[in-house]
Amino acid sequence: MRVRARKFWLVLHILSAGAWIGIDVLVAVLVAIGMLGGNESRRGLAYQALGTFVWWPMLTSGLVCLVTGVVLGLGTKWRLFRYRWVVVKLVLNVGLCTLILVALRPSMPVVTAYGVAVAAGTPAVIGPTSLFMPPIVSLTALSLATVLSVYKPWGRMRRQSPG
């Protein structure tokens, strides 16, 4: 890959990862406001925003990060399956995008409805108490991916001998 192209894809990769981290921080803030925000109006609005606007920008930034990472892996000396740190980053990215689709997205209509109920002052039976886990898991995994990108530990993968 030529230098200009590599830099273009690298900038896109870094920007998408930064956006993903920023969205995760926003999720953590909205969850904290929803749980501890004081008045029902503020808490309900936080849950409604969380349920309405969070999963699709998070998935979009994750998929852009995945695509740009694959392009960089295929077009640079790092390759996709040559170094362990690249493989771990790939697995983390695919795993987080899968979690967004399988675990986070399906629960968002319930979170939005809960937010409407809270804002209206209607006592809700069950609140979305498990919402604090997604930003913790995602921010931990994305922080690990960032550290791997900087330190590039573990060296090359072993070549499999034929037979």
Side-chain angles (χ1 to χ4, degrees), residues 75-87:
T76 64
K77 68 178 181 177
W78 302 112
R79 310 305 297 161
L80 275 181
F81 300 105
R82 184 177 289 171
Y83 292 90
R84 288 180 182 90
W85 66 271
V86 176
V87 173

Side-chain angles (χ1 to χ4, degrees), residues 23 26-27 30 49-59 104 108:
I23 293 165
L26 174 65
V27 169
L30 289 173
L50 187 62
T52 305
F53 300 112
V54 165
W55 76 267
W56 58 270
M58 187 183 297
L59 181 62
L104 191 64
M108 291 299 103

Side-chain angles (χ1 to χ4, degrees), residues 5 14 20 25 40 69 79-80 94 98 101-102 109 113 118 125 135 157:
I14 292 168
W20 196 355
V25 169
E40 287 79 15
R79 310 305 297 161
L80 275 181
V94 169
T98 302
L101 284 172
V102 173
V118 169
V125 178
M157 302 282 285

